[in-house]
Structure formats: structure tokens, C-alpha cells
Amino acid sequence: NGWMAAKESVEVRARVRGHIMKIGFEDGQFVKEGQMLFELDPSSYEADLARAKEQKKIYEAQLEREIKEEARQKALLPSGASTKSDVEKVEANRMALQAQVESAAQEIKRKEVDLSYTTVKSPIAGRISRAYLTVGNLVNAGGSDPLLTTIVSVDPMQVYFDVDERALQRYMADRRKTR
């Protein structure tokens, strides 16, 4: 006796929180790798991304102003109208704003990734089970994230069977004789 098992098996879970807006498969159908399975409400993630982009613009405007102020303070330094302390202060402000601009750019990337996770795609090709949650349900990501569905590959399949030790020894001896 033996049994068959899929080479790959995946439990599909959401990576972000949101309400299920759309399901892109029928129970039991074959799905392709990368196919959309679930679409979560992206509106809060789109708003977060827009807010992060606006915050970056604010930091960039402040940085531009600080660059001009630094140039002005450096120009006034030889005449004594500015002090070395004033120049160091505006340099520190400029560097801090540059860091904020870079941080805001990284935050935008993170928000774009979160937004992309609102579309749950199939990681493998295979047969999908059923949608364990339906349209309208809230999906939580994290430690208590619910299972959305499962997918098993169908090509290739693996076959497992038990063999008693004597039969295996006979097989090995016969194999040595035919070589």
C-alpha cells in the first residue's frame, strides 16, 4: 500500500489587515503562480502612502531652505556677521533634515509594500481548496492571522509506501546481482 502527496503545499494567509473585497478563484480550481486570490480593502493603505509622500515633500522643502541658510551663513562668516557656531548649527540642521528625507523615502517604500500586500497572490501553481473566509470578513495579520485557503501542487506528485526490511534486503541483493 502507498499514498500520494503533493511536492509543494501552501497555507495562504494575509500579510496585512483588511476587509476582503474580492475573491479571485472558484473552490477546487487550478490556479497559476502569481494569480490574484484575494483582494483586501486598500483604502487605508493608499491614504497612509499619500500621507508619507506629503511628509517627504515637507522635509524636502525644509531641507532646501536649510541648504540656502547654510550657504548664507558660510558667506557671512569671513566678514564676521556670522559665527562658526551659527554655521555649525545650520550644518547640523541640514544633516538632520537629510536624514529625515531619507527616512521618509524608506517609509514610503514600506507603505508601498503594505499596499501591495492587499492583493493576495498564489505563491505556487496547483489546485486550490476553498475560501475559508468570504467577502466582507475582516482579516487580521500577525499572530492570530486566519487561514484564507490552501494550495497543493499537482505536478509532480510524490508516492510514499512502506517496505518491510526483508523485501528491501532481497531487492538490494537482486540489484547487486544484475550489475
Side-chain angles (χ1 to χ4, degrees):
N1 290 336
W3 63 95
M4 294 177 63
K7 185 175 180 183
E8 297 177 301
S9 175
V10 176
E11 292 183 343
V12 179
R13 299 177 191 274
R15 295 173 122 178
V16 294
R17 177 185 168 108
H19 285 88
I20 298 174
M21 304 288 287
K22 184 177 178 183
I23 298 176
F25 64 91
E26 297 289 325
D27 295 350
Q29 83 176 63
F30 286 98
V31 294
K32 298 176 185 168
E33 183 176 342
Q35 179 178 334
M36 188 277 290
L37 302 177
F38 294 89
E39 187 176 297
L40 306 179
D41 183 9
S43 58
S44 64
Y45 297 100
E46 291 168 342
D48 287 346
L49 179 59
R51 186 172 44 248
K53 287 179 178 180
E54 291 304 316
Q55 185 63 50
K56 183 179 179 224
K57 286 180 185 178
I58 291 168
Y59 290 144
E60 288 171 337
Q62 291 173 345
L63 176 61
E64 179 130 353
R65 185 200 67 214
E66 205 61 37
I67 289 170
K68 290 177 182 177
E69 180 62 25
E70 181 182 6
R72 196 171 15 260
Q73 290 294 329
K74 284 182 177 178
L76 293 173
L77 187 60
S79 67
S82 178
T83 65
K84 185 153 178 68
S85 175
D86 291 338
V87 172
E88 289 171 353
K89 185 177 174 182
V90 294
E91 283 177 346
N93 288 342
R94 176 191 46 82
M95 290 190 299
L97 284 167
Q98 281 176 330
Q100 286 180 318
V101 167
E102 291 170 17
S103 175
Q106 293 303 314
E107 185 67 12
I108 288 170
K109 286 181 186 176
R110 189 183 70 75
K111 302 265 185 209
E112 287 171 340
V113 168
D114 284 349
L115 179 60
S116 74
Y117 288 157
T118 61
T119 302
V120 180
K121 296 180 179 179
S122 176
I124 63 170
R127 184 176 293 276
I128 197 161
S129 64
R130 66 180 181 87
Y132 294 117
L133 296 175
T134 57
V135 171
N137 279 292
L138 176 64
V139 177
N140 285 317
S144 64
D145 55 334
L147 181 64
L148 296 175
T149 189
T150 57
I151 305 170
V152 293
S153 63
V154 293
D155 186 25
M157 294 293 288
Q158 296 176 335
V159 177
Y160 297 94
F161 53 92
D162 293 321
V163 178
D164 64 277
E165 188 174 352
R166 286 186 182 201
L168 181 61
Q169 288 174 346
R170 272 194 314 264
Y171 171 75
M172 296 300 283
D174 290 345
R175 187 168 176 207
R176 277 188 233 117
K177 287 179 187 176
T178 60
R179 284 188 176 183

